[in-house]
Amino acid sequence: MKGIIVGAGEVGCYLAEQLSQKGIDITVIETDPEQSQRVDESLDVKVFHGNGSSASMLDRAGVTDADMVLSVTSNDLTNLICCSLTKAMNADAVTVARVHDATYADHSLINYQLHFGIDHLVNPEALCAVELAKQIRNPGRVAVENLARGKVEVQQIEVTRHSRYTDKPLRELAMPDDVRVASVVHDGVFEVAGPETIIHPGDALTLFGKPDALAMVRSRFDADYKLNQVRIVLYGGTEIAIGLVRLLNNPRFRVRIIEQDAACCKALAEQFPQVTVIHGDATSRRLLEEEQIGSCDYFVACTKRDEDNVMTCLQASKLGAKHVQLVINKPDYEPILQELKGALGLESVVSPRLATANELLHMISREPAVEVGRFAGTPSKLLEIKVSSRSPSVGKEIRELLRPANTIFVAIIHRFDARVPSASDRIMAGDRIIVLTTHEAEEAVVRLLA
């Protein structure tokens, strides 16, 4: 297998190292001559010094024979042009472009991904926002997995004694269309839920659906759960903060943003009138005390200055913020902060570099099925399976498929759309299906789809 990586920055180098260790023949294209030399000396890859958005450079690097091209420079236009040229020169290559500007995720006027013919667009800031929002939306003992970059969520909850949904079959429960009960563990016995499944107090349920819809449904099974108002303070009006605001667009989330740049504050206030924007420097303890950071539920430091992020998180933790989340940009800081996060009072440390690299490795995997999550205490696992053109399921509705026992389809990702599947959804070649299944049924469901 052959791959080309355009851009030898932190993400590009990490990918080159990981993929070359998997036995993939990797070629790196980098514009900086010094960085090109460093990569050539430190990694077992071919290195070209040049412009990855040049057709002649891509040709020299062997794009016509490449199985994949990952353009991960810091310049969005370079990445888009590179991947678009790749598709023109080698239609079979899998193309992935790293983009920072959220404009390219807006499909209201034009689908940029479709227009440029790119297989995948990856936004590092959006990936970080999804990881941070997951914990804010679902605090406490609920186990959560995010699928399809946060568009579908899977939760495991315990049914409480006072739930009004107990001792009834699922077919009698008025569940929203975009929420499903996937499985039930009753007295230690696991089963995939069906219309006649009866819910009992103490059962462990696995639910999947749209995040906001799941938040509303959860209280019906967990009588102790209340949709209390959550107070969130974000330090830095960055792309990550903007992504978080969009993901937390619900009246129960009260968001404040502290930002040093006055022009940025004005732009944020105009774009998000429901958000309180504060012009100031959160490294000042006095400002944190004035804004009563100690009484907030979540404090998230997400500027592009790692030292400021670390210091403000330490201050917020000392002042009494219930949950403190840190975004770290420099790879050198990441391991030590992950190791010390408990001692420093940090609930989570999120890295755009690592989130992007892991997402890209997942996307380009040639394995027929990739495990994307599992829940402790159950024999179940979540698999993402890419539907082959030779699959016997292609062209059939989900209701027509003979699914193995203890298997349920959790999400269907078709080109640029991800949703909770219904029985009438038709399987198409190239779709990615996320299934909840067991080890015993894994081989059969992979054979059915892949």
Side-chain angles (χ1 to χ4, degrees), residues 23 37 47 74 113 128 160 245 247 263 314 325 366 389 434-435:
Q37 185 174 346
V47 180
S74 58
Q113 189 174 342
C128 276
T160 58
V245 169
L247 289 170
L314 292 176
Q325 298 178 323
R366 292 303 177 99
S389 59
I434 298 175
V435 299

Side-chain angles (χ1 to χ4, degrees), residues 241-243 245-246 249 257 267-277:
I242 291 171
V245 169
R246 287 177 173 147
N249 186 26
I257 300 176
L268 288 169
E270 292 173 352
Q271 187 177 2
F272 303 108
Q274 78 279 16
V275 172
T276 301
V277 181

Side-chain angles (χ1 to χ4, degrees), residues 237-314:
T238 58
E239 295 91 341
I240 295 175
I242 291 171
L244 261 176
V245 169
R246 287 177 173 147
L247 289 170
L248 301 175
N249 186 26
N250 186 293
R252 75 187 182 98
F253 299 115
R254 289 182 54 194
V255 181
R256 287 178 285 163
I257 300 176
I258 302 174
E259 169 57 45
Q260 287 180 257
D261 184 85
C264 182
C265 287
K266 182 179 179 182
L268 288 169
E270 292 173 352
Q271 187 177 2
F272 303 108
Q274 78 279 16
V275 172
T276 301
V277 181
I278 301 156
H279 179 216
D281 182 2
T283 60
S284 164
R285 183 181 178 92
R286 181 177 178 181
L287 176 65
L288 295 179
E289 289 174 339
E290 288 175 353
E291 293 301 325
Q292 300 179 335
I293 298 301
S295 64
C296 75
D297 296 294
Y298 285 86
F299 180 85
V300 184
C302 52
T303 75
K304 295 181 179 180
R305 303 177 301 277
D306 287 346
E307 291 80 3
D308 287 355
N309 288 349
V310 172
M311 292 308 299
T312 52
C313 280
L314 292 176

Side-chain angles (χ1 to χ4, degrees), residues 381-435:
K381 60 173 67 175
L382 288 166
L383 297 178
E384 183 174 311
I385 305 172
K386 185 174 181 179
V387 180
S388 163
S389 59
R390 299 186 299 274
S391 167
S393 63
V394 170
K396 295 181 180 178
E397 294 184 357
I398 290 177
R399 62 163 62 94
E400 299 175 311
L401 301 179
L402 295 175
R403 284 172 287 166
N406 285 333
T407 297
I408 189 168
F409 292 6
V410 169
I412 182 168
I413 306 167
H414 177 69
R415 290 179 69 82
F416 318 111
D417 178 50
R419 64 184 182 278
V420 174
S422 67
S424 60
D425 273 315
R426 195 173 297 276
I427 305 296
M428 307 296 289
D431 286 353
R432 286 180 291 152
I433 312 296
I434 298 175
V435 299

Side-chain angles (χ1 to χ4, degrees), residues 306-367:
D306 287 346
E307 291 80 3
D308 287 355
N309 288 349
V310 172
M311 292 308 299
T312 52
C313 280
L314 292 176
Q315 294 268 43
S317 180
K318 290 292 184 183
L319 289 170
K322 295 183 180 68
H323 306 277
V324 178
Q325 298 178 323
L326 168 68
V327 173
I328 201 75
N329 300 284
K330 293 180 182 177
D332 292 343
Y333 292 174
E334 189 182 309
I336 188 66
L337 286 169
Q338 288 285 2
E339 186 178 331
L340 295 176
K341 67 179 183 180
L344 298 176
L346 306 176
E347 182 173 82
S348 60
V349 178
V350 179
S351 162
R353 176 192 72 104
L354 197 56
T356 304
N358 289 338
E359 180 75 4
L360 289 172
L361 289 171
H362 167 67
M363 284 178 171
I364 63 179
S365 172
R366 292 303 177 99
E367 296 294 325

